[in-house]
């Protein structure tokens, strides 16, 4: 008989070892809450129901998770242990399902591993692994090779603490047995908690079928209890993401120095230099080159575009063959056409640049429309904010904005118009005109320089 799959994720623990006000399952790994990782993987199994046990941080957790996910949130009033957490789920369970119990703080488990566990016939299947340092984990105790019990670190004898095979916390249970078994768990242990791991002893006593499956790579099932473990896991996840990109042909100069906190989609011949951070959804078309120390968030870079070192790009759409940076900042709503050049210390916000337009040094362009081929000189800025309202600046095709000019919005500079350096422009400039707004230069001939006082 094929039983439907039902999932329980335990996420009601206090997470006290993190020493953080934020619930542990909302701590982020690869930019996403721990719980999100497991939920996404679990969806691959197409389960009938997903129950997530939450506790004191319930509302924060339910709000922190993608609302589109169909979850049955189950409340555990007090974190009295993983066994007590499952007790809360019992009234919600289906009669004849295969129940998979997962821990909210072990986010890297793969769906293939879950499937392996679910396809076992035993009433209870425990997922184990072998680690070099088992400190903190429940130890797998075997008699004649057969799994006899799981002993938590605090309850373990000296010799049991030497066991390297550990409980991953993941198990599959025949749902018909769950109620009976979890209600038999007591808090008779050092922690004074109801430990789900006691279920092994209970099932064995009843001569139920108990088995185990081992996962080869422990990093897949490691739990996060401290920030130190979270940091190690981040590297595991990042290495995995980097490997996948390299397999698809992306040239990553050093896969240990990259952080992808979301999805990075890259075309052919893309190269990524060191220490770059990618957040949200980033799309890099063919031949894009990203220099060292760049941060790219929710943006798209067109084919052949080069992002030079130390640039920050967020919510931007960049055309083909553009050059951005070094030290450039593109903020949300920056839309660059093809062949645009944005140089050092240039900030662009909510502005479009037509084909071939340039702002090569020290400029601020906000709420503006820059025509194709226009050139914005060093130190030029759009004064888009009067302290109360934002206004727009329009710069025509092939216009030339001299250095250190201030364009006080709302204002419009015509096609082919020129603004003389140092001008403060408050009136519109017609196509082809020159606007200069500065006092005329006075030269004093025969000027004697002041002498230093005695
Ligand atoms: C647990 C296992 C241990 C295993 C390890 C793997 C038990 C008793 N121990 O230990 O054998 O080696 O995971 O990482 O199961 N939770 C609740 N309600 C509670 C307590 C915890 O929902 O009352 C949740 C937590 O939010 C967490 C998960 O259960 O997501 C595991 O709890 P945690 O306290 O981290 O257990 P470990 O000590 O890591
Ligand atoms: Mg844990």
């Amino acid at each position: 008989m094929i039983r439907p799959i039902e999932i329980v994720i335990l996420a009601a623990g206090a997470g006290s070892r993190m020493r953080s006000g934020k619930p542990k399952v909302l701590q982020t790994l690869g930019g996403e809450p721990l719980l999100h990782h497991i939920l996404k993987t679990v969806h691959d199994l197409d389960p009938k129901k997903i129950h997530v046990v939450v506790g004191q941080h319930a509302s924060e957790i339910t709000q922190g998770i993608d609302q589109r996910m169909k979850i049955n949130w189950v409340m555990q009033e007090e974190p009295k242990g993983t066994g007590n957490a499952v007790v809360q789920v019992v009234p919600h369970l289906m009669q004849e399902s295969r129940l998979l119990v997962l821990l909210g703080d072990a986010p890297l488990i793969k769906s293939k591993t879950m499937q392996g566990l679910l396809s076992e016939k035993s009433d209870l299947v425990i997922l184990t692994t072998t680690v070099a340092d088992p400190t903190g984990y429940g130890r797998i105790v075997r008699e004649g090779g057969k799994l006899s019990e799981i002993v938590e670190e605090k309850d373990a004898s000296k010799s049991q603490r030497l066991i390297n095979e550990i409980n991953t916390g993941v198990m599959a249970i025949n749902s018909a047995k769950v109620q009976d078994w979890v209600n038999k768990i007591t808090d008779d242990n050092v922690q004074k908690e109801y430990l789900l791991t006691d279920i092994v002893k209970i099932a064995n006593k009843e001569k139920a079928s108990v088995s185990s499956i081992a996962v080869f790579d422990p990093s897949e099932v490691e739990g996060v209890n401290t920030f130190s473990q979270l940091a190690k896991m981040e590297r595991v996840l990042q290495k995995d993401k980097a490997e996948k990109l390299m397999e698809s042909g992306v040239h990553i100069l050093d896969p240990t120095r990259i952080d992808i906190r979301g999805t990075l989609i890259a075309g052919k011949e893309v190269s990524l230099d060191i220490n770059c951070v990618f957040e949200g959804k980033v799309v890099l078309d063919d031949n894009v080159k990203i220099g060292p120390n760049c941060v790219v968030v929710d943006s798209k870079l067109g084919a052949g575009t080069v992002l030079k070192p130390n640039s920050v790009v967020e919510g931007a759409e960049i055309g083909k063959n553009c050059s951005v940076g070094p030290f450039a900042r593109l903020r949300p709503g920056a839309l660059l056409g093809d062949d645009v050049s944005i140089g050092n210390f240039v900030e662009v916000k909510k502005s479009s640049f037509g084909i071939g337009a340039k702002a090569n040094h020290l400029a601020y362009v906000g709420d503006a429309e820059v025509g194709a081929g226009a050139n914005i000189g060093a130190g030029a800025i759009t004064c888009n904010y009067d302290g109360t309202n934002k206004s727009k600046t329009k710069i025509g095709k092939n216009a030339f904005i001299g250095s250190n000019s201030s364009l006080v919005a709302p204002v419009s500079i015509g096609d082919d118009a020129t603004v003389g350096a140092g001008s403060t422009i408050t009136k519109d400039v017609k196509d082809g005109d020159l606007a200069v707004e500065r006092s005329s230069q006075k030269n004093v001939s025969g000027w004697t320089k002041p002498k230093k006082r005695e």
Side-chain angles (χ1 to χ4, degrees), residues 190-373:
V190 177
Q191 298 91 295
K192 294 274 162 281
E193 277 187 17
Y194 294 84
L195 310 173
L196 181 59
T197 40
D198 281 354
I199 202 175
V200 175
K201 230 175 0 193
I202 294 165
N204 273 329
K205 210 168 177 183
E206 291 184 4
K207 305 257 180 293
S209 50
V210 178
S211 65
S212 67
I213 286 194
V215 58
F216 178 70
D217 180 4
S219 63
E220 183 190 332
V221 285
E222 252 155 5
V224 176
N225 298 309
T226 61
F227 277 115
S228 167
Q229 286 168 332
L230 184 62
K232 277 186 206 136
M233 191 172 285
E234 183 74 41
R235 285 344 296 165
V236 171
L237 179 80
Q238 292 303 335
K239 186 171 170 267
D240 198 51
K241 288 187 183 221
E243 289 297 333
K244 283 194 183 113
L245 283 167
M246 290 191 291
E247 273 163 31
S248 76
V250 177
H251 179 193
I252 297 179
L253 273 76
D254 181 354
T256 66
R257 285 185 287 172
I258 182 167
D259 285 270
I260 301 162
R261 301 175 189 153
T263 349
L264 174 62
I265 300 166
K268 294 191 194 91
E269 306 293 335
V270 165
S271 99
L272 311 177
D273 212 322
I274 58 164
N275 293 337
C276 291
V277 179
F278 299 92
E279 281 179 27
K281 191 178 174 193
V282 174
V283 179
L284 308 176
D285 286 345
D286 296 350
N287 294 301
V288 163
K289 299 217 170 340
I290 310 282
N293 306 322
C294 290
V295 178
V296 186
V297 184
D298 290 319
S299 296
K300 185 178 182 308
L301 278 65
T305 283
V306 179
L307 188 61
K308 293 180 179 166
N310 302 297
S311 296
V312 179
V313 173
E314 183 178 357
E317 211 168 298
I318 306 177
K320 291 182 195 140
N321 301 317
C322 292
S323 168
V324 176
F327 296 99
R329 180 174 182 208
L330 300 186
R331 290 171 52 197
L335 302 172
L336 311 188
D338 298 343
D339 303 310
V340 166
S341 176
I342 301 292
N344 40 232
F345 307 108
V346 174
E347 175 179 344
V348 178
K349 185 217 82 172
K350 221 177 174 182
S351 297
S352 63
F353 276 66
I355 298 174
K358 292 187 184 90
N360 276 335
H361 337 261
L362 301 143
Y364 171 62
V365 182
D367 301 299
E369 202 183 307
V370 181

Side-chain angles (χ1 to χ4, degrees), residues 17 24 103 105 223-225:
R17 286 165 282 184
K24 176 158 75 173
L103 304 186
D105 67 347
V224 176
N225 298 309

Side-chain angles (χ1 to χ4, degrees), residues 12 95 144 160 389 427:
Q95 279 299 310
Q160 284 171 332
N389 294 305
K427 291 182 217 142

Side-chain angles (χ1 to χ4, degrees), residues 10-13 17 24 76 79-82 85 103-105 137-138 150 152 167-169 195-197 223 225:
L10 307 184
R17 286 165 282 184
K24 176 158 75 173
Q76 182 192 20
K80 292 191 208 157
T82 47
L103 304 186
D105 67 347
Y137 288 102
I150 299 173
E152 289 305 303
N167 171 35
T168 62
L195 310 173
L196 181 59
T197 40
N225 298 309

